Amino acid sequence: MTRLKGNYIGGDWVWPASAASFDRTNPARPDEVVSTAPESTSTDVDDAIAHLSEHRHAWAATSPEKRADVLVAAADILATQAQDLAVELVREEGKTLAEATMETTRTPQNLRFFAGEALRMTGETYPTGDGSLVFSRREPVGIVAAITPWNFPLNIPSRKLGPALAAGNAVVFKPSEVTPLMGQRLVEALVQAGVPSGALALVHGHADVGRAMVANDEVDAVTFTGSTEVGTAIHGVTGVDVRTQLEMGGKNALVVLEDSDLDRAAAIIAKGAFGLSGQACTGTSRVVVHEAVADELVRRISQTAQAARVGNGLDEGVTFGPLANRAQIDKFCHYVEGATSQGAVLVDPDGHQADPPGGGYFVRPTIFRDVDPLSDLAQEEVFSPVLAFITVSSYDEAVRVVNNTKYGLSAGIVTSEISRAIRFSEDVATGLVKVNQATNGMAMNAPFGGMKHSSTQTFKEQAGASMMSFYTTDKTVYFTP
Ligand code: NAD
């Protein structure tokens, strides 16, 4: 068990005056406490932000080279720790060791990428014709509140703290209450690398801590990744002077038509739907399939689902870890029961129960066919390995089904027809479009973000120049020598 160091405020690791705490347990063995974290309040948040407000200017005035060096040093620290971090990540969050290792490898790469961006914060000059000069100046926004979910507890925060710090902002960071240890590990590396106390604060806790961050008048920008429900609540609170970036839920569809290669489609669906035990924002939760190939595709995916080795992500050969917590299990059961009552057919009736030793939060990959495209299972984000097959009879009907949800994060198609692939990329209302690839997975240097209720689309979360736009503010300067 790891008792966390506390919150990181004003350069010190401190516990709230009340010393209140909460335990995070291993989702594969819920009797094992993995981390004990401070149960902070708005007082802790306000203290943290007050310190940043007073001391943030030194980091903003640091040269871009220095800021880049610090981020690279943090990346080096995390890269050295990658194997140990992966084990801690499995115990705290539940993914398999292979999945955790991908995350602990990617996180330092993200920091290196943003280190480079520190050096590319360029402005522009504008012709005047009268001997004067007009130019734009890019400056840090100020204090950034970063609020993050549990499913990528290193990776997603690194894509917020990295660019924010690269641009010279100060950051107050609230990791998910499900993964506080990972939050501490990231901040430890940044502090050890040289991020000053005036540029970084960490406050642990639940929703109240996030609410207090969003409500604090000193905060200039809020970057949030999490559910659409919470993102919508944040959107209703932030003022016009607070730039707000919300990356939220998805109901991602993969389209398989009569011309699709079914072997290829089956492999792509298995990766998209069952990777990370279905707990990825871009995971495939709907398969929109032509009636001519539906039976065969369902049969193949069912076989793959049955072959999943469910268990503790640290155990040899396990391919499918537990869900993150009891709330995830409850949500899973709610949708499995609701789908049956709304007429969907459970493909493998005993398939969704899983009971490895240890009493963990285990389920099996679960498939429904003949799902009504307007039913809850087809419309709402389940965020677990429940896959809905929806049968259609044409490409046009498939596109209508893909677009007929409030979400717009990722959509894919399996096809060898180039014209159909290009048309699909035009027709679907999603921020990510995948051709012959799983709906999940992202390139670290490409724009990432959704549409509709999946994202504010104000700025893409990770996107080279546009990503840095969120963390910088522009002034236009008129200058006569
Ligand atoms: P969540 O929305 O429940 O919580 C996210 C964070 O917000 C947590 O730190 C939580 O404590 C905090 N929070 C809760 N209520 C708050 C409030 N009222 N004000 C401020 N902060 C508050 O999400 P989760 O369960 O941690 O993560 C799963 C969700 O995240 C899924 O919906 C998934 O699709 C989404 N997600 C989206 C992306 C993306 O890039 N689009 C990536 C990963 C996860």
Side-chain angles (χ1 to χ4, degrees), residues 147-151 156 174-177 205-207 210-211 214 224-228 230 234 247-250 281 381 383 409 448 454 461:
I147 303 172
T148 54
W150 47 264
N151 68 328
I156 289 175
K174 184 198 125 32
S176 168
E177 58 273 32
H206 289 79
R211 279 193 205 96
V214 172
F224 165 85
T225 301
S227 63
T228 295
V230 172
I234 290 173
E247 291 296 342
M248 302 174 282
C281 58
E381 185 185 49
F383 211 58
L409 190 50
F448 176 91
S454 291
E461 188 188 23

Side-chain angles (χ1 to χ4, degrees), residues 260-320:
S260 304
D261 174 336
L262 293 194
D263 284 337
R264 195 175 199 187
I268 287 170
I269 292 166
K271 176 173 184 278
F274 305 141
L276 294 161
S277 304
Q279 301 175 119
C281 58
T282 48
T284 307
S285 57
R286 298 179 294 158
V287 175
V288 181
V289 59
H290 193 278
E291 57 197 4
V293 294
D295 289 348
E296 178 56 20
L297 190 64
V298 168
R299 193 185 65 74
R300 291 183 193 208
I301 300 300
S302 170
Q303 274 178 353
T304 309
Q306 286 171 20
R309 295 242 358 238
V310 180
N312 186 332
L314 291 177
D315 289 348
E316 188 81 27
V318 164
T319 59
F320 197 89

Side-chain angles (χ1 to χ4, degrees), residues 36-283:
T36 299
E39 187 71 270
S40 313
T41 65
S42 59
T43 307
D44 304 299
V45 172
D46 292 347
D47 285 352
I49 293 174
H51 181 87
L52 298 181
S53 186
E54 194 176 337
H55 299 282
R56 71 182 175 84
H57 297 285
W59 179 248
T62 304
S63 71
E65 292 89 340
K66 173 69 182 163
R67 294 200 300 266
D69 284 350
V70 168
L71 288 175
V72 168
D76 290 345
I77 292 165
L78 289 166
T80 310
Q81 299 171 346
Q83 274 185 327
D84 292 343
L85 276 176
V87 173
E88 287 186 333
L89 173 51
V90 173
R91 290 178 64 228
E92 190 175 56
E93 196 264 352
K95 54 186 67 170
T96 65
L97 189 59
E99 290 165 343
T101 303
M102 280 168 58
E103 175 157 3
T104 59
T105 308
R106 176 61 75 90
T107 296
Q109 291 171 335
N110 285 335
L111 293 181
R112 290 198 183 98
F113 176 84
F114 299 123
E117 290 301 317
L119 301 162
R120 283 189 281 271
M121 273 178 54
T122 52
E124 291 186 57
T125 57
Y126 303 90
T128 59
D130 64 1
S132 69
L133 180 62
V134 178
F135 63 94
S136 61
R137 267 182 73 96
R138 288 178 78 188
E139 298 176 354
V141 175
I143 297 179
V144 176
I147 303 172
T148 54
W150 47 264
N151 68 328
F152 286 104
L154 290 168
N155 219 341
I156 289 175
S158 74
R159 303 202 317 255
K160 296 182 184 302
L161 275 56
L165 292 169
N169 296 284
V171 184
V172 55
F173 167 41
K174 184 198 125 32
S176 168
E177 58 273 32
V178 179
T179 49
L181 177 59
M182 290 300 102
Q184 174 175 301
R185 292 292 185 240
L186 180 60
V187 170
E188 282 174 329
L190 289 162
V191 169
Q192 191 185 333
V195 174
S197 64
L200 183 59
L202 165 72
V203 186
H204 290 286
H206 289 79
D208 282 351
V209 168
R211 279 193 205 96
M213 284 164 62
V214 172
N216 190 297
D217 286 343
E218 298 290 318
V219 166
D220 300 290
V222 175
T223 177
F224 165 85
T225 301
S227 63
T228 295
E229 292 71 27
V230 172
T232 305
I234 290 173
H235 198 251
V237 174
T238 50
V240 286
D241 57 339
V242 179
R243 55 178 68 184
T244 306
Q245 177 186 61
L246 308 170
E247 291 296 342
M248 302 174 282
K251 193 70 204 176
N252 315 298
L254 189 89
V255 173
V256 180
L257 295 175
E258 71 282 14
D259 68 310
S260 304
D261 174 336
L262 293 194
D263 284 337
R264 195 175 199 187
I268 287 170
I269 292 166
K271 176 173 184 278
F274 305 141
L276 294 161
S277 304
Q279 301 175 119
C281 58
T282 48

